[in-house]
Amino acid sequence: MCGIVGYIGESPAAPILLDGLSKLEYRGYDSAGIAVYDGEKIQVQKAIGRLKVLSELTHDGAKMPGAAGIGHTRWATHGAPTNNNAHPHFNGDESIAVVHNGIIENYQKLKKYLEGKGYQFVSDTDTEVVAHLLDYYYKGDPIETITKVMHRVEGSYALGIMFKAHPGILYAVRKDSPLIVGHGKDGNLIASDVPAVLKYTRNVYFIQNEEIAVLSEEAISFFNVDGEEIIKEPSTIDWDINAAEKGGYEHFMLKEMYEQPQTVRDTLNPRIKEGAIVIEELGMSDEEIRGIGRIHIVACGSAYHTGVTAKYVFEGMARIPVDVDLASEFRYRNPILADNDLVIIISQSGETADSLAALREAKNRGVKTLGIVNVVGSSIAREADKVMYTWAGPEIAVATTKAYSAQLIAEYLLAIKFAQVRGEITEQDVRAYLKDLQKLPEQIEMLLGNKGKIQHFANRYISAKDVFFVGRGLDHAISMEGSLKLKEISYIHSEAYAAGELKHGTISLIEEGTLVAAVLTQEELYKKTISNIVELTSRGAFVLAVTNTGNTEIEKAADYVIYIPQTNRWFTNSLAIIPLQLFSYYVSVGKGCDVDKPRNLAKSVTVE
Ligand code: AGP
């Protein structure tokens, strides 16, 4: 995610902004910028790459005098990492500067409206729309201006705002993206996260959704979306800097698991317009979609597992034949590709060597390619014919969680879109699917609330030697991801198996007490998997079942049951993965493993 810092006080602002941004580097970024009011105008400096570049350009801030400013580290979501797209963004006469963390979901509509009013844009970002909208509404009262903008924008935002006409004041407002206010002894600050202010104060206010903060050198006041003043109590931060970077969570992996509800919203909502799916970046006509002969999904690791899920969803919903390949295999097996096929490369980092090579192989064959990628401007994003971004923000933990969940959402949206265009489902079906998808964030939140129960169960298995994950159909796909999560962060041997396949050999490994996690979310397969469970328990296995609420029948067969809320059959992987992530996490923690940086692993595998 992007990082925001703002300062107003007695000291020079620029060095404080740079220092604060350096404490937010863990959030991931590809460009940065600061704006400082120098007594006459708002000076700005931006730079692509690391903060060091910005510090050098500004001589560690010395070249930008002034005691009020805002700064930003940008994790690109809309528009590649360029100087033009870096924040702060300005209105036309540079009398208003803004930094933003989040996604303005209706920015295209607002941009068109403002262009119609004569506004000119210099960047590809959604944020610039906010700068011009503030200009559009500004009649002299910043709070009235900000509340009007809040009523117009949809999506998530944390904003730091400066008005040249009000030099002694900083403004901040948030909805769904984090923002705090720090009350320091020689000045006041805003920031995306606690680490940026800890050097100056432990006295912070947590701004709630749709609250506006107004900071002067001496005082801080708060207003609601109706412009009425509200009273807020400060909190005292007792975290150390290391804990603070993780937002108070013990590990980035846990923090990122808890970010999954927002990640799902951020990947989903901007692509739903008036009850229809709009994937602007897809750039495929209905005729091209109807003409697709076969889809080849190619990826590695967890991204590959989402591809296995997507195969069931695309084939079940859109009736398009789908092959799923490991990229390291695809690139060397001389795949058979037809001109009207579509190759989808899935990659969080967008830099995985095998996946990039597979993309190039497909392009060399003249086949249309689509990337589903998290890192804007990455190699796969740049080289694929089309790219559909997952807006998960930077993922620090090596074991993917939120990016995995975002990939599933992107694939569901594509499958629904393709199914509708190809006449396999009706508009009514689409509305029903979207309703279920929009419930997922709160259902994920509810499942994350189970962490205590799962931690208790996980502690029983920290000395396990082998754990098996089984399921049929979509439940097999999620078993693969559950197994990988456990292996990669707890170093316990684990295998995922199609439940019907166990009796063809692997069941010989089942001993007294062997843990088997069985996933049963596909109603028409319940009975089949329950018989597999009975085969396992009769040979001594201890079976943990993950199943839909209401399927209490399972309690007769399994030893321990975790229920997930009801959702559409195609989307159950998005929910079943949550207890499996939590289980792996707590086993790893219980074993004292390095959860965020497991041995032998890298976050991005850029070598063969
Ligand atoms: C997932 O937890 C692993 N870290 C790994 O399997 C990862 O999914 C795989 O390396 C693919 O990475 P990518 O999505 O960046 O291409």
Side-chain angles (χ1 to χ4, degrees):
M1 275 82 64
C2 306
I4 289 176
V5 180
Y7 170 80
I8 186 159
E10 296 160 13
S11 311
I16 293 174
L17 298 176
L18 292 169
D19 171 71
L21 291 177
S22 72
K23 303 294 191 298
L24 299 179
E25 287 194 283
Y26 73 88
R27 297 167 70 84
Y29 67 102
D30 36 52
S31 60
I34 59 175
V36 176
Y37 179 70
D38 66 4
E40 275 169 43
K41 66 184 185 314
I42 301 174
Q43 262 204 63
V44 67
Q45 181 64 60
K46 304 179 182 183
I48 302 172
R50 312 313 294 162
L51 266 180
K52 195 161 93 34
V53 180
L54 187 61
S55 296
E56 283 162 5
L57 284 171
T58 60
H59 295 181
D60 295 330
K63 273 181 74 179
M64 296 183 74
I70 49 179
H72 187 265
T73 45
R74 179 175 183 249
W75 166 268
T77 54
H78 295 76
T82 63
N83 249 16
N84 255 1
N85 290 333
H87 301 203
H89 284 285
F90 281 97
N91 62 333
D93 66 4
E94 301 202 345
S95 59
I96 300 173
V98 63
V99 289
H100 167 227
N101 174 26
I103 290 179
I104 305 298
E105 294 168 4
N106 61 338
Y107 85 97
Q108 289 109 327
K109 203 167 121 193
L110 292 171
K111 187 168 181 173
K112 220 172 271 165
Y113 176 77
L114 290 163
E115 283 171 333
K117 298 282 181 187
Y119 283 88
Q120 290 182 340
F121 286 77
V122 297
S123 80
D124 310 320
T125 66
D126 53 337
T127 305
E128 192 186 351
V129 165
V130 175
H132 294 307
L133 208 52
L134 288 162
D135 179 278
Y136 177 70
Y137 283 118
Y138 181 71
K139 300 281 179 291
D141 178 343
I143 293 175
E144 182 194 15
T145 305
I146 292 168
T147 54
K148 285 183 176 169
V149 169
M150 289 163 73
H151 283 100
R152 282 302 296 275
V153 298
E154 293 164 15
S156 56
Y157 54 82
L159 299 171
I161 307 167
M162 290 170 76
F163 293 84
K164 192 169 79 171
H166 303 266
I169 310 278
L170 272 196
Y171 297 86
V173 61
R174 67 161 289 234
K175 175 175 166 293
D176 294 338
S177 292
L179 197 63
I180 61 164
V181 175
H183 182 46
K185 56 184 187 315
D186 72 347
N188 295 316
L189 305 101
I190 59 171
S192 299
D193 201 356
V194 166
V197 305
L198 276 185
K199 184 174 170 183
Y200 309 98
T201 182
R202 287 183 175 272
N203 205 7
V204 303
Y205 295 86
F206 292 96
I207 306 180
Q208 300 308 312
N209 267 356
E210 299 194 314
E211 290 181 347
I212 302 165
V214 179
L215 289 73
S216 69
E217 188 180 322
E218 305 80 21
I220 301 169
S221 47
F222 298 95
F223 298 82
N224 64 20
V225 68
D226 299 320
E228 297 154 344
E229 185 154 6
I230 51 179
I231 306 300
K232 289 182 72 69
E233 292 307 316
S235 310
T236 304
I237 299 295
D238 54 11
W239 300 331
D240 65 27
I241 187 86
N242 185 33
E245 280 186 357
K246 301 179 187 101
Y249 290 98
E250 193 184 347
H251 299 103
F252 280 112
M253 184 176 173
L254 189 61
K255 177 169 177 278
E256 287 155 7
M257 279 195 253
Y258 275 75
E259 286 172 351
Q260 288 179 115
Q262 190 57 41
T263 296
V264 166
R265 288 188 194 99
D266 287 348
T267 301
L268 183 64
N269 293 343
R271 295 173 169 124
I272 300 176
K273 307 259 188 262
E274 280 109 44
I277 293 178
V278 177
I279 307 175
E280 308 257 344
E281 62 273 41
L282 184 58
M284 285 176 78
S285 67
D286 286 0
E287 197 190 337
E288 283 171 313
I289 292 173
R290 278 191 283 274
I292 295 172
R294 175 174 286 273
I295 293 176
H296 305 266
I297 298 178
V298 187
C300 302
S302 293
Y304 168 78
H305 298 154
T306 73
V308 178
T309 300
K311 171 184 171 66
Y312 286 102
V313 180
F314 271 110
E315 290 192 347
M317 206 188 271
R319 307 308 295 157
I320 303 175
V322 176
D323 287 343
V324 192
D325 272 276
L326 290 169
S328 52
E329 291 296 305
F330 179 88
R331 62 185 294 195
Y332 294 118
R333 70 172 179 81
N334 192 14
I336 298 169
L337 304 176
D339 294 351
N340 63 338
D341 285 359
L342 172 65
V343 171
I344 300 179
I345 306 287
I346 307 168
S347 176
Q348 186 284 127
S349 63
E351 300 299 346
T352 300
D354 286 324
S355 305
L356 181 56
L359 168 66
R360 289 170 178 164
E361 176 64 18
K363 289 191 73 175
N364 291 342
R365 310 284 194 90
V367 178
K368 186 186 284 297
T369 57
L370 168 68
I372 295 181
V373 181
N374 196 41
V375 180
V376 173
S378 56
S379 305
I380 292 172
R382 272 184 287 107
E383 296 188 28
D385 296 317
K386 298 292 174 197
V387 62
M388 183 176 179
Y389 284 117
T390 51
W391 288 313
E395 194 174 57
I396 312 296
V398 166
T400 182
T401 50
K402 62 176 185 172
Y404 169 89
S405 290
Q407 286 164 359
L408 288 179
I409 296 298
E411 290 154 5
Y412 299 152
L413 286 169
L414 276 174
I416 298 168
K417 178 80 185 166
F418 285 15
Q420 186 186 14
V421 167
R422 293 167 70 105
E424 296 293 338
I425 61 174
T426 65
E427 248 181 68
Q428 203 178 350
D429 297 326
V430 173
R431 277 197 295 278
Y433 286 142
L434 292 180
K435 204 156 153 262
D436 282 324
L437 287 176
Q438 288 178 307
K439 274 194 215 150
L440 289 177
E442 66 192 65
Q443 293 176 320
I444 292 171
E445 267 157 11
M446 193 276 284
L447 288 167
L448 287 166
N450 270 346
K451 72 174 184 175
K453 176 182 168 194
I454 294 174
Q455 181 175 12
H456 180 73
F457 179 80
N459 285 339
R460 291 158 47 179
Y461 288 95
I462 54 179
S463 323
K465 292 287 168 278
D466 300 292
V467 179
F468 295 87
F469 291 75
V470 300
R472 288 171 178 260
L474 273 164
D475 295 334
H476 177 214
I478 200 63
S479 301
M480 297 165 96
E481 179 57 12
S483 172
L484 177 63
K485 285 280 119 1
L486 182 67
K487 271 184 277 200
E488 64 178 335
I489 63 173
S490 71
Y491 317 144
I492 292 175
H493 169 255
S494 170
E495 290 181 58
Y497 256 84
E501 184 60 12
L502 278 165
K503 53 186 166 302
H504 299 284
T506 305
I507 202 160
S508 66
L509 296 178
I510 301 299
E511 295 169 345
E512 189 58 35
T514 304
L515 176 62
V516 179
V519 184
L520 307 91
T521 69
Q522 304 300 299
E523 205 158 336
E524 75 283 4
L525 297 170
Y526 276 169
K527 291 210 176 337
K528 297 288 177 201
T529 308
I530 285 177
S531 10
N532 299 135
I533 289 175
V534 173
E535 286 161 14
L536 289 159
T537 50
S538 58
R539 289 167 174 78
F542 185 98
V543 174
L544 156 68
V546 177
T547 190
N548 301 325
T549 308
N551 179 24
T552 49
E553 185 68 16
I554 188 72
E555 291 179 10
K556 292 188 196 120
D559 300 291
Y560 193 88
V561 183
I562 294 174
Y563 290 100
I564 63 171
Q566 287 293 349
T567 185
N568 184 283
R569 55 173 298 201
W570 299 121
F571 311 143
T572 58
N573 278 196
S574 294
L575 298 178
I577 190 56
I578 303 301
L580 300 182
Q581 288 171 346
L582 286 167
F583 172 71
S584 305
Y585 172 78
Y586 284 114
V587 169
S588 175
V589 168
K591 289 190 68 176
C593 298
D594 184 347
V595 175
D596 287 334
K597 297 188 187 67
R599 68 186 183 201
N600 311 336
L601 295 180
K603 182 59 186 171
S604 176
V605 184
T606 53
V607 293
E608 272 205 61

